[in-house]
Amino acid sequence: MKYLCLGYYDAKKFEQMPESERNAFYDVCCAYDDELRAKGHFLSGEALDSGSATATVRVQNGKVSVTDGPYIETKEQLGGVMIMAAKDLNEAITLWSNHPAIRTSTFEIRPIFDMTPIVEASRQRRKAAGKS
């Protein structure tokens, strides 16, 4: 099963961290990511740029509205995402609980919903209606 791990962190605290400490943190995190990759658990992952470079898009009063920054104002911001493989949520929690980043960040782990059957059913309906 696939799980999405969303990592939230306090950007101000992280920016105030001495460079040597920040580099040491990166090194232990990357080493653990390599362990997860070697065991087939780390499927994909990316760090996100600053929340100040974010745009939120939504519809308000029937029109598309774009605002700067994340939708919710919080002390912590989404800093990265990782897709991992685990047999169940308990294994995903156990694997992530051992990640060094857990000491400085909060992680939300969500099962990824497999849309394959829905997409295929939609494709079949559109094909039958001549809309493919």
Side-chain angles (χ1 to χ4, degrees), residues 46-104:
E46 297 294 338
L48 300 177
D49 207 341
S50 166
S52 65
T54 301
T56 299
V57 181
R58 63 180 155 255
V59 173
Q60 289 182 310
N61 301 320
K63 294 183 180 183
V64 173
S65 169
V66 180
T67 55
D68 293 337
Y71 179 64
I72 300 172
E73 293 293 325
T74 63
K75 185 175 181 181
E76 291 185 329
Q77 66 179 359
L78 183 59
V81 298
M82 197 259 279
I83 297 176
M84 69 184 306
K87 65 181 178 188
D88 57 28
L89 183 58
N90 287 331
E91 182 182 35
I93 291 168
T94 299
L95 291 167
W96 208 252
S97 295
N98 292 313
H99 199 292
I102 199 76
R103 294 182 302 222
T104 62

Side-chain angles (χ1 to χ4, degrees), residues 98-116:
N98 292 313
H99 199 292
I102 199 76
R103 294 182 302 222
T104 62
S105 304
T106 301
F107 289 89
E108 180 179 342
I109 301 173
R110 285 193 188 184
I112 294 177
F113 183 76
D114 183 4
M115 291 285 293
T116 305

Side-chain angles (χ1 to χ4, degrees), residues 21-37:
E21 189 178 327
R22 192 169 39 249
N23 287 339
F25 175 74
Y26 286 145
D27 292 348
V28 296
C29 288
C30 290
Y32 188 70
D33 289 349
D34 287 344
E35 286 180 39
L36 292 174
R37 273 187 203 87

